[in-house]
């Protein structure tokens, strides 16, 4: 604490509020530099007396033993007593703290030391390089050199007390004993401890600058068609362009202009109807999937996983086998710090009904999922949609930083601000599926000016271009060709007494822009695309390889997906609503069948009704839980399978088995409550056999739900079909109808309710009384167990084949 007060001729007493000062030194260590704890109010007695003049004559000494030149105010002649006193009282009352010019400069340099060391120099090159790799974390914003700070503080203290004659008296304050301050705390930091920000920046620079295969992307005369009610409709018509490593190519255009379709074709997610797309002058191959990152417009992430878990699982699945598990986890942490996500790394992603990270953080997590593999090509579909201008600027700056490391970045963008617009290297402007402009972003406005289209008012260049792509010529100068066309059309309208158009139509503007580009620019750009690339044959061979490269083997994929499934779905399965539902149902059943007496025919029928309800309840419950599995995860499955993160068989088996521990937890609670409240056979063997029978029923019913959901992949259709199926199985279960007509009696053998009910009867009553027997006699129960096991396997095989069919149709 350094205070500067002008000389006084009389002592002044000022009462101040006690303070506590602590300085964070690094992200991992917090060492108190100066901690001043005062419990009550104290008087800070500032004695400025007659000794001032003699003390003022002493030279100020800095920390290195040199002298410090006096500031301007020290060299001024003494002011009158009254004025000086009033000025000092004013300063003291307002608690001002003023430093001399030299001291301010010194402290300013110290406080900005971390930033300067991280920026890597000044100038254009240094600024761009610094912007590329500096991601400040709030926990490490203040980096101070302890040795310099102590010496500077000592110099300031000596200079202040020597030149101003300060005497600080703190009544009741006892300094800590000397033995409490270890020599390690007083020792100066090494260079590694001083500038941790610079060390982090160096680590991040090495991460961003990792070598990657440069890929030159070219596409010429790309067309895409879809069938609408049997009629082919052209979405894209002859789009050409290119993107090189180190460039950010932006695709702009109004909604429905074909931006996402073109991006999907360039990223290998869709097949062009016509045209040529080449990567280093070679066609798309399966090996390219490991070198392409694709960020979809919708943030497809697991809701209940944290940011750290999301990126860690992506690293474990996608990074090559040559890296160890610890190296992959470290890579995930590098990405977290690279994207500035360290503050929210332990926060859940969240969703519509779960609170989580912000929109900007969610988008950065999606980008981190893709750049974690160090891709050569990065595609992003509207990464700034729904974000404020500042967050959108950070996202685009991040893309610029990624491109500067030798990667090719291609993104669609809807309506960028002027600052975002000028950060793109190249621009593609689409309108109604046609190419209106391709070239450097800086040359877009001069080009449209050359064809007679100029904004009449000051506006964002992106808004101006989107207005032209939409055919809107308000506040835009109209070319003479369009004026002449409008004039001729108006003459024809006057002859027919129709309404006159004052501005050209959107169709006329679109046709004019397409023709202007074809005649002025298209030929030159297509000629550039035909020129061969200066790359070696080895780089081309890497692209054309048809061999898939999996980051992990099948067993590792299964274990990783199993753990991820448990962490993701434990919140749903073990939620308080579901637990309350099961416990409440079991208590109601226990009260209704309280200590039922099986010795009488009526009590026996009552217990049989309870056993049938158990079979129906734990057949109905798992079905309607499992049918949501694959429809809800369809987007995630398509995204991860398109990136070759894992094999479908590993995902399917991990997905179905990770549900079992969670699915079997609630039935245990249910059976413990119901079994003993209802007065069923109090035998350990019968209890565990009943539990095993319920488990088999649950797994079989779950398989049916998985098969229905995987076959339809539509929640409404799957729910409807599951309702009809479960109701049919319940009616054919053998409790409501014991004499089923022969022509439909085969239906009971497909019902897991039927087999479960018969097994529960066998466990509780052996032999089963005739009053409870159905038309089919009950033997030792092996047939029923075999039927349930066959259902468990058969339904799951059907579900897997359905997913394979959907994958093949998507491909």
């Amino acid at each position: 604490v350094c205070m500067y007060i002008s000389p006084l001729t009389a002592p002044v007493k000022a009462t101040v509020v006690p303070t506590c000062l602590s300085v964070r030194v690094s992200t991992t260590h917090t060492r108190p530099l100066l901690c001043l704890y005062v419990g009550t109010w104290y008087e800070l007695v500032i004695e400025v007396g007659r000794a001032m003049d003699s003390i003022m004559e002493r030279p100020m000494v800095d920390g290195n033993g040199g002298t410090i030149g006096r500031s301007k105010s020290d060299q001024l002649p003494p002011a009158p007593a009254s004025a000086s006193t009033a000025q000092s009282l004013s300063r003291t009352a307002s608690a001002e703290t003023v430093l001399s010019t030299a001291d301010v400069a010194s402290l300013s340099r110290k406080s900005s030391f971390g930033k300067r060391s991280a920026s890597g120099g000044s100038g254009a090159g240094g600024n761009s390089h610094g912007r590329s790799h500096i991601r400040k974390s709030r926990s490490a914003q203040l980096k101070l050199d302890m040795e310099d700070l102590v010496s500077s503080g000592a110099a300031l203290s000596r200079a202040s007390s020597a030149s101003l004659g300060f005497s600080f008296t703190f009544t009741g304050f006892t300094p800590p004993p000397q033995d409490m301050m270890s020599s390690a705390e007083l020792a100066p930091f090494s260079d590694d401890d001083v500038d941790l920000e610079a060390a982090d920046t160096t680590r991040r620079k090495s991460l961003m600058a990792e070598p990657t295969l440069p890929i030159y992307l070219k596409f010429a005369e790309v067309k895409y068609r879809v069938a609408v009610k049997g009629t082919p409709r052209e979405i894209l018509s002859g789009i050409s362009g290119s993107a090189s490593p180190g460039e950010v190519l932006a695709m702009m255009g109004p909604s429905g202009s074909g931006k996402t379709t073109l991006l999907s074709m360039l990223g290998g997610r869709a097949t062009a109807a016509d045209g040529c797309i080449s990567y280093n002058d070679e066609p798309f191959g399966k090996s390219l999937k490991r070198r392409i990152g694709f960020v979809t417009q919708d943030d497809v992430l697991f809701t209940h996983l944290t940011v750290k878990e999301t990126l860690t699982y992506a690293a474990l699945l996608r990074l090559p086998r040559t890296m160890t598990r610890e190296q992959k986890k470290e890579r995930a942490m590098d990405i977290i710090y690279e994207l500035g996500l360290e503050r929210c790394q332990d926060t859940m992603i969240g969703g519509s009904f779960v609170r989580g990270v912000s929109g900007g953080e969610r988008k950065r997590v999606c980008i981190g999922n893709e750049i974690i593999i160090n891709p050569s090509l990065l595609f992003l579909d509207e990464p700034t949609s729904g974000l404020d201008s500042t967050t959108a600027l950070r996202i685009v700056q991040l893309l610029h930083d990624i491109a500067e490391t030798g990667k090719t970045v291609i993104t669609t963008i809807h309506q960028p601000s002027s600052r975002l617009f000028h950060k793109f290297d190249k621009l593609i402007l689409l309108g109604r599926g046609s190419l209106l402009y391709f070239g450097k972003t800086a040359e877009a406005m001069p080009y449209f000016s050359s064809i007679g289209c100029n904004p009449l008012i000051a506006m964002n260049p992106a808004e101006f271009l989107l207005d032209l792509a939409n055919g809107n010529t308000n506040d835009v100068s109209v070319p003479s060709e369009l004026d002449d066309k409008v004039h001729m059309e108006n003459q024809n309208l006057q002859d027919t007494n129709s309404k006159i158009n004052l501005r050209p139509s959107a169709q006329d503007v679109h046709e004019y822009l397409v023709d202007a580009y074809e005649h002025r620019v298209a030929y030159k750009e297509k000629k550039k695309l035909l020129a061969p690339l200066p790359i070696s044959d080895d780089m081309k061979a890497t692209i054309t390889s048809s061999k898939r490269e999996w980051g992990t083997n099948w067993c590792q994929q299964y274990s990783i997906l199993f753990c991820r499934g448990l962490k993701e779905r434990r919140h749903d399965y073990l939620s308080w609503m579901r637990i309350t539902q099961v416990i409440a149902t079991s208590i109601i059943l226990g009260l209704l069948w309280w200590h039922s007496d099986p010795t009488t025919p009526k009590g026996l029928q009552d217990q049989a009704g309870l056993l049938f309800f158990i079979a129906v309840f734990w057949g109905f419950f798992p079905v309607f839980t499992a049918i949501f599995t694959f429809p809800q995860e369809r987007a995630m499955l398509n995204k991860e399978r398109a990136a070759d993160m894992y094999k479908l068989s590993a995902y399917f088996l991990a997905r179905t088995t990770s549900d079992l521990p969670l699915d079997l937890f609630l039935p245990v609670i249910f059976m413990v409550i119901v079994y003993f409240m209802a007065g069923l056979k109090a035998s350990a063997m019968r209890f565990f056999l009943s539990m095993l029978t319920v488990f088999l029923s649950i797994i079989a019913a779950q398989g049916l739900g998985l098969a229905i959901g995987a076959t339809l992949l539509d929640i409404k259709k799957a729910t409807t079909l599951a309702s009809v199926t479960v109701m049919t199985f319940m009616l054919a279960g053998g409790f409501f109808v014991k004499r089923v007509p022969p022509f439909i009696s085969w239906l009971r053998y497909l019902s897991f309710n039927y087999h479960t009910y018969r097994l529960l009867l066998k466990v509780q009553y052996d032999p089963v009384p005739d009053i409870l027997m159905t038309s089919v006699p009950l033997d030792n129960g092996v047939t029923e167990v075999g039927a349930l096991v066959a259902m468990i396997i058969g339904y799951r095989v059907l579900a897997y084949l359905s997913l394979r069919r959907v994958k093949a149709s998507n491909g």
Side-chain angles (χ1 to χ4, degrees), residues 576-651:
W576 65 271
M577 292 183 61
R578 181 164 296 191
I579 294 176
T580 303
Q581 177 187 12
V582 171
I583 293 178
T585 304
S586 59
I587 292 176
I588 292 174
L589 290 177
L591 294 176
L592 292 176
W593 273 272
W594 179 261
H595 291 293
S596 57
D597 184 12
T599 56
T600 62
K602 190 173 181 180
L604 191 63
Q605 290 181 346
D606 288 344
Q607 277 197 358
L610 173 62
L611 297 178
F612 183 75
F613 179 84
I614 293 175
V616 171
F617 181 77
W618 288 112
F620 177 89
F621 202 72
V623 167
F624 284 90
T625 302
I627 59 174
F628 295 98
T629 299
F630 296 120
Q632 286 181 342
E633 294 189 5
R634 181 180 183 179
M636 178 64 73
L637 179 62
N638 292 337
K639 169 192 168 184
E640 294 180 338
R641 288 284 293 148
D644 276 353
M645 289 181 64
Y646 45 74
K647 296 181 180 180
L648 182 62
S649 57
Y651 165 79

Side-chain angles (χ1 to χ4, degrees), residues 31 459 676 708:
R31 303 186 183 182
M459 66 171 63
F676 297 103
I708 294 175

